[in-house]
Amino acid sequence: MTATTAAPTVGEDERLAKQATWKRIMRRPELGAMAGALLVLAFFLVAASGTGMFSPAGIMNFLEVSAQLGILATAAALLMIGGEFDLSIGSMIGLAGIIIAVPVMEYGWPLWASLLLAFACAMLVGWCNGYLVNRTGLPSFIVTLAFLFILRGLAIGGCRLLTGRTQIGGLQPHITHDWLAPLFSGEVATGLFAWMAAHGWIATNFAGNPVVTGIPVSIVWWLGLTAVATWVLLFTPYGNWIFAAGGDANAARNSGVPVRRVKISLFMFTALSATVFASLQVMDTGSADTIRGMLKELEAIIAVVIGGALLTGGYGSAVGAALGALIFGMVQMGIFYTGVNTDWFKVFLGAMLLIAVLFNNFVRKKMMEAR
């Protein structure tokens, strides 16, 4: 007689389906960041209770801090998933700000032209980073570390050569009348917030105006870039190429993936995100400074790692990077609201990084076991 295998029952099918779903959830890179964000939120709900941190104004404060980092972290996440690093992001911020401000204040350029020039220069810098990494075979850590110093030196030396100083102010009148400036300044949904204030849903000041007048445009940039990056990673062939290039570049190349073009485009994206950041800062303050962006490259990498990306590449998500930036913003503003000396912020940041890396190593081991 031939032994027969019993067909799975309906209950067994359901159990296997639930088990498979649970495994997929456990493998998601943003799982640890989500748990961390909930933990940080719960902590400050207790520690900062009654301080106004979770009032509409307080929420906008920490979301805006998160958004500024999140714009950089989104691009850094895609690059790290692709197996590379960009340490020149912070210096690109300083240089882009100077490129925007100097032509306007010294040579009478319209602001929109300076903005376009800054983005064009960013694309060139990103292309150079990617080209050199591919052409020389040097680690991106070394190439972009060199550009960290080159770009900062160009910002300081060039600005002092052309203007005699390292800070450029007085851009506010140009921002007010420029057609492209609203893309990087002001708030959105102001009418909605005025309507909510009129109906008593949000607080108003002595003049009857809403305390929170709208959503800062930096938050819109952050959410928009995160959504687009998530769509690219999950639903496009280019997203598959990014994961393949970061997982095993040689195997990806042998499979027909244009690894060189993918990596160059990712370096260009990180430079462009740094220029978006710089544009938002210039529009917000009406000035540029050669030292802006210091250490932002490290903060972006920390947010991405907290968000679940592996340092070895091939694994991560834009949503995880956004959650990492959110944790960063909540901790930075939460320390302020709770009255703790802000000098301790770096301690929290380092601790979060260490915990995130340990958790990521644990997840990677579990993934290997599952295979």
Side-chain angles (χ1 to χ4, degrees):
M1 290 182 64
T2 304
T4 58
T5 303
T9 63
V10 174
E12 182 69 11
D13 286 342
E14 291 180 354
R15 186 186 68 81
L16 292 174
K18 288 180 181 179
Q19 189 177 46
T21 301
W22 178 248
K23 285 183 178 180
R24 284 197 300 270
I25 293 173
M26 288 300 293
R27 292 176 186 174
R28 290 302 306 165
E30 59 271 10
L31 179 65
M34 189 176 298
L38 291 174
L39 182 62
V40 170
L41 176 63
F43 173 79
F44 284 114
L45 279 171
V46 175
S49 176
T51 63
M53 178 177 176
F54 294 98
S55 65
I59 291 172
M60 285 299 171
N61 283 338
F62 72 72
L63 283 180
E64 191 165 13
V65 173
S66 301
Q68 292 173 357
L69 178 60
I71 290 168
L72 302 176
T74 299
L78 266 61
L79 183 61
M80 288 177 63
I81 294 170
E84 306 293 348
F85 293 91
D86 190 348
L87 298 182
S88 67
I89 294 175
S91 297
M92 187 68 236
I93 292 170
L95 179 61
I98 296 303
I99 292 173
I100 293 169
V102 169
V104 173
M105 300 307 299
E106 297 296 320
Y107 303 105
W109 282 33
L111 182 60
W112 63 265
S114 288
L115 284 167
L116 294 179
L117 176 63
F119 280 99
C121 291
M123 292 179 67
L124 177 60
V125 169
W127 182 88
C128 288
N129 273 329
Y131 177 79
L132 288 173
V133 168
N134 283 285
R135 182 70 174 178
T136 64
L138 290 172
S140 55
F141 177 89
I142 299 298
V143 173
T144 58
L145 180 62
F147 268 87
L148 179 152
F149 293 107
I150 291 170
L151 298 181
R152 188 68 68 183
L154 285 173
I156 296 172
C159 188
R160 195 180 295 276
L161 176 67
L162 296 172
T163 69
R165 57 192 189 276
T166 59
Q167 295 177 326
I168 309 294
L171 273 80
Q172 203 61 54
H174 301 275
I175 296 170
T176 304
H177 300 99
D178 191 84
W179 66 270
L180 192 56
L183 193 60
F184 302 100
S185 64
E187 298 173 328
V188 300
T190 53
L192 174 62
F193 279 77
W195 179 82
M196 288 192 294
H199 287 76
W201 292 0
I202 59 175
T204 57
N205 57 23
F206 67 92
N209 298 318
V211 174
V212 178
T213 56
I215 301 173
V217 71
S218 59
I219 297 177
V220 178
W221 271 102
W222 175 37
L223 297 178
L225 287 174
T226 300
V228 171
T230 300
W231 174 76
V232 168
L233 286 174
L234 297 181
F235 301 109
T236 69
Y238 181 73
N240 292 332
W241 292 349
I242 294 173
F243 282 109
D248 190 330
N250 289 328
R253 194 175 290 109
N254 292 334
S255 300
V257 174
V259 173
R260 178 177 174 273
R261 294 206 305 271
V262 167
K263 293 197 175 188
I264 289 176
S265 65
L266 293 176
F267 278 109
M268 293 173 69
F269 184 38
T270 57
L272 287 172
S273 73
T275 306
V276 170
F277 184 101
S279 302
L280 291 166
Q281 279 197 330
V282 170
M283 301 303 124
D284 183 50
T285 63
S287 65
D289 194 324
T290 57
I291 65 170
R292 283 187 184 159
M294 294 284 285
L295 298 180
K296 284 299 179 183
E297 61 280 345
L298 298 182
E299 292 178 2
I301 291 173
I302 289 172
V304 176
V305 172
I306 291 173
L310 295 179
L311 296 173
T312 51
Y315 185 78
S317 74
V319 172
L323 289 170
L326 178 62
I327 292 172
F328 182 97
M330 280 197 292
V331 170
Q332 184 169 348
M333 296 306 298
I335 289 175
F336 170 78
Y337 277 102
T338 53
V340 177
N341 190 328
T342 54
D343 292 340
W344 293 99
F345 171 67
K346 300 297 183 183
V347 175
F348 284 95
L349 195 60
M352 285 192 299
L353 174 62
L354 183 59
I355 292 170
V357 172
L358 290 173
F359 183 81
N360 288 350
N361 286 337
F362 171 77
V363 170
R364 180 168 57 179
K365 290 177 181 177
K366 290 298 181 183
M367 287 176 60
M368 296 303 293
E369 291 173 2
R371 290 177 183 176

